[in-house]
Amino acid sequence: MTIALGLIVAGGTSAAMAQVVVNQQALQQLSGKPPPPPVARPRYHPIIRHPAPRRAVVHPVIAPPRLPLPPPPPPVIAAAPPPRPVQPRALTLMFPHVDVALPATQAKALDAFIATKFDKAAHFVVQATAPGVANDPSVARRMALNRGLAVRAVLRHAGVKSDHIIVQALGDPPGLVPDHVTLTEIP
């Protein structure tokens, strides 16, 4: 038995709810009446069935047909030595001290480099350097970038895809001679 109570506060707008649950067995014990007798359940007796005996079935054994033997394997021949790794081709182009345009003599060397057969899947790395100014290193990087882009333009005109050309403007790195561009073909 469940009793639900509701309480409304007279002066306010809030309402409260409560729920009461009654335990019937506890009430019956408190009343003094004896509990009803338990219901008798019939006993469970499992039924056991014995399977019928199985009889063995005899199948005749059939021999597989005789197949001819496979031919002997061919003789083992020593493998050819692995191909030698292809060395990347490189070309160094010299520039005048403050010039970013490709000089005519260096343009001929670049044309000869491109004229030799190159792989269409090859990539080219263009590393450009330029002299710097002591108080502004960005001058050397910008000049090196312009030199690298000049070499890139010649490669693009020769038919090399633009995504196969990597231009690196090194500026005026310590330990390297400025005023040159190194072009390397990576197969």
Side-chain angles (χ1 to χ4, degrees):
M1 172 193 276
T2 302
I3 300 172
L5 298 175
L7 179 64
I8 300 175
V9 178
T13 59
S14 62
M17 295 293 293
Q19 181 178 0
V20 178
V21 179
V22 178
N23 186 341
Q24 291 294 330
Q25 187 178 8
L27 289 176
Q28 191 173 20
Q29 286 177 353
L30 290 174
S31 69
K33 292 181 186 177
V39 178
R41 294 184 189 166
R43 296 195 86 190
Y44 172 71
H45 297 289
I47 300 173
I48 300 173
R49 294 185 182 167
H50 298 287
R54 294 186 180 186
R55 294 184 184 164
V57 178
V58 178
H59 295 287
V61 177
I62 301 172
R66 292 196 169 243
L67 299 175
L69 294 174
V76 177
I77 300 173
R84 300 177 84 192
V86 178
Q87 295 295 327
R89 296 186 315 146
L91 174 68
T92 301
L93 303 169
M94 298 305 292
F95 279 77
H97 186 65
V98 291
D99 200 4
V100 294
L102 189 62
T105 58
Q106 300 302 312
K108 287 180 184 178
L110 181 58
D111 289 339
F113 182 81
I114 295 172
T116 60
K117 187 174 180 180
F118 65 88
D119 185 11
K120 293 290 184 186
H123 287 72
F124 292 89
V125 177
V126 180
Q127 294 178 322
T129 62
V133 178
N135 59 355
D136 190 5
S138 68
V139 171
R141 286 192 203 106
R142 282 181 288 179
M143 186 182 294
L145 179 62
N146 286 332
R147 289 176 176 181
L149 292 176
V151 173
R152 179 185 181 275
V154 174
L155 289 171
R156 286 288 297 132
H157 186 70
V160 179
K161 294 180 182 178
S162 63
D163 59 344
H164 286 213
I165 304 170
I166 302 167
V167 178
Q168 297 175 341
L170 302 178
D172 189 10
L176 287 179
V177 176
D179 296 330
H180 75 278
V181 173
T182 303
L183 173 64
T184 308
E185 177 188 3
I186 302 173

